[in-house]
Each structure stands twice: as structure tokens, then as C-alpha cells.
Amino acid sequence: GIEGGVLFPVGIGPWGMELDASYHNQTFNAPFSAYPLIQYYEYTQDEDFLRDVLYEYLKPILTFLEAWVVKNEEGVYDIYAGYNEGSWALNSVGELSTYRMCLRYAIMASEKLGMDASQREVWQDLLDNLAPYTVMDYNGMPVFAMAKDSYSGDKWQGQPLAPNRLTMEPVFPAGEFGYYSDPETFEILRNTMQVLDDQNTWPG
């Protein structure tokens, strides 16, 4: 229902395969899937690929985002979606991180290719004002929460109680945090990793 926008189900497969047609309340399947295209461009610096593949892939993702976000009273853009299959939440870490990744690369591509200057301003506004990640207290430590608020049992329940590995999506695939991040962010990341380790939530 959003003209020019794209929303992928969880189980989209290669060559048009449909492995699971359900959306599970998530909107970040399309932006998450931008990662291999972004990495291909990063490693090759192929401007034809940037123009004809990556940029064309990102634009409908951000068309959806522009229509989906809700601007709150503070001028911040909120996203309502599931942080995990079947959940419903406000400003989940998965949506925030992967959409930020797509916004950064669309803005870069627009500048490099000299295209869509007016749309670039819209994307920059979204990037500058997209809701921040939620930090919660967990056993006396600041950690990244799954979302700002979660909805269950016909009411808003507050931040999801236990972090899991999805809280690290700002690191991978989004690449927003890394070696040059500030010390405060590093502390939160280390704390979150420690909670993950303590909970033994890693696959395998």
C-alpha cells in the first residue's frame, strides 16, 4: 500500500523463492538484506554497481521508511515494528540499526552520483532525527535494550526485559559502532556482550 516502497517477508529466498511468506510484524528484512550489496560495493568500489544495483535497491526501502515513521512531539521519528518474530514494539534495535545503515549509504550514493539532491535532504533529516537506541539498566549495568517499549497482552509493557544477540545489530550488520566509538558506547557494548555470555544466548 506504499507506492514505490518495499517490505520483505521473513522468508524471502534467492531467485524469487518464498520460504516463509509471513512478516511476523517485522519491517527490517529488506534493509537487513542490503548488507551483502553494501559490502560488495565497499570491497570493489564499483560505481556502476553503486548506481545500478545498490542505490536502486536502497531507494524503495527508504520510500517505505519515510511513509512508516511517526514524528513525535519532540521531532523524533519513531518506528513501530517487531524486534523479533511475532513481537510488537516501539523503536526496536533491528529497525533502527538497519534503516540507519541504508540511510547512510543512500546519502553517500546520492552525493557521489550527483543524483536526487532533494530526496537526499529528506534522507538526511530521517538519519539525523531517527529515534536513538534505548539503554536500559540490567543488574546494575547499562545495556542496549531490544526496544524502547514492547506491546503484549493488550498493553505496553516497557522495555523488553532481557537483551539477546539482536541488540548487537548496530555493530553487525549496521556498522554504526566500531573501533572509533566513544568510551561510553564501548562500555554499553561490553556490558551487553557480558549479559549475552552470561545468558548463553549465542547459537550453537
Side-chain angles (χ1 to χ4, degrees), residues 114-142:
M115 299 171 65
D116 306 316
S118 60
Q119 189 59 46
R120 190 190 315 151
E121 294 179 6
V122 175
W123 294 335
Q124 189 65 59
D125 177 58
L126 283 167
L127 182 59
D128 292 343
N129 295 289
L130 202 57
Y133 300 114
T134 299
V135 177
M136 64 183 289
D137 181 271
Y138 192 90
N139 292 337
M141 299 186 300

Side-chain angles (χ1 to χ4, degrees), residues 1 24 38 54 81 119 129 139 152 169 178 199 203:
H24 299 292
I38 287 169
L54 177 55
Q119 189 59 46
N129 295 289
N139 292 337
S152 180
E169 286 175 339
Q199 292 182 339

Side-chain angles (χ1 to χ4, degrees), residues 8-66:
F8 287 171
V10 171
I12 189 169
W15 301 292
M17 293 173 61
E18 187 178 274
L19 308 176
D20 181 352
S22 300
Y23 291 87
H24 299 292
N25 297 338
Q26 296 176 339
T27 72
F28 73 106
N29 298 300
F32 193 101
S33 298
Y35 177 75
L37 302 180
I38 287 169
Q39 288 303 298
Y40 182 88
Y41 171 71
E42 285 287 355
Y43 279 92
T44 65
Q45 295 296 297
D46 183 338
E47 287 198 22
D48 291 337
F49 181 87
L50 177 66
R51 181 188 63 248
D52 299 336
V53 180
L54 177 55
Y55 191 50
E56 291 302 314
Y57 181 81
L58 294 174
K59 286 193 289 185
I61 290 172
L62 300 181
T63 296
F64 174 86
L65 176 66
E66 186 180 348

Side-chain angles (χ1 to χ4, degrees), residues 103-118:
L103 285 164
R104 293 198 316 272
Y105 276 90
I107 292 166
M108 176 276 292
S110 172
E111 292 173 342
K112 195 174 189 70
L113 300 170
M115 299 171 65
D116 306 316
S118 60

Side-chain angles (χ1 to χ4, degrees), residues 3 29 39 46 52 61 65 80 82 85 88 95-96 106 112 123 134 137-138 140 166 169 172 177 184 186 189-190:
E3 185 177 356
N29 298 300
Q39 288 303 298
D46 183 338
D52 299 336
I61 290 172
L65 176 66
Y80 290 87
E85 286 88 345
W88 188 247
E95 266 73 18
L96 292 177
K112 195 174 189 70
W123 294 335
T134 299
D137 181 271
Y138 192 90
L166 297 179
E169 286 175 339
F172 178 85
F177 302 138
E184 181 181 356
F186 265 124
L189 289 169
R190 282 193 296 266

